[in-house]
Amino acid sequence: MLVRLLIADSSRLCPAPSPARALEIELSSVSSVESAPFAAVAVETLKIYESDRIVEHVQEVAPRFLARLQEMGQHPLVGEARLVGLMGSIALTPDKAKRAKFASETGTVGLRCRERCFANNLIMRACGDHIVSAPPLVISKAEVDQMIDTAARCMAEFERQLKEKGLA
């Protein structure tokens, strides 16, 4: 149940097909004998989530993450910034007012932006022309701030690159 919920939520952030969908299909085709170890691991994981108060921690940190993502939404290349749990998505656009798509093939800009993030030691996933962050569930508010500050720096560098190449 938890796996299906996380997969369904992630699909709202990223319009491109998700590898997680394949995982859901693969797990649903496993027989009950084969799935017993998975179930045991899932139960233990839920016990750890409960004893370490992971869900409560996410509920405390998520508002800070959302507020900082919304700050990123002010950037000229950001059409929309969304958050589900601790999975954040930034939609990239050349025209904020129209939320237009880039002239290049879908996903090209997302990959280039991700490269800027990687160059600054920030792990982001490219999903079409979105960049997605799914930090550890135990991330602190200070680490959220550091992550978004780094993302803002990456976005500024990326915008300069696009302008140099005449793409923005």
Side-chain angles (χ1 to χ4, degrees), residues 7-19 21 80 82 87-92 99 101 106-107 110 125-132:
I7 290 169
D9 282 348
S10 69
S11 67
R12 295 188 310 182
L13 293 173
C14 181
S18 170
R21 294 264 179 231
E80 181 179 26
R82 295 180 275 182
M87 186 179 287
S89 171
I90 298 172
L92 303 170
R99 291 194 183 170
K101 293 185 178 200
T106 299
R125 182 175 149 229
C127 187
D129 286 330
H130 291 69
I131 52 172
V132 178

Side-chain angles (χ1 to χ4, degrees), residues 3 8 110 122 141 147:
V3 172
L122 178 63
K141 289 179 183 179
M147 178 178 67

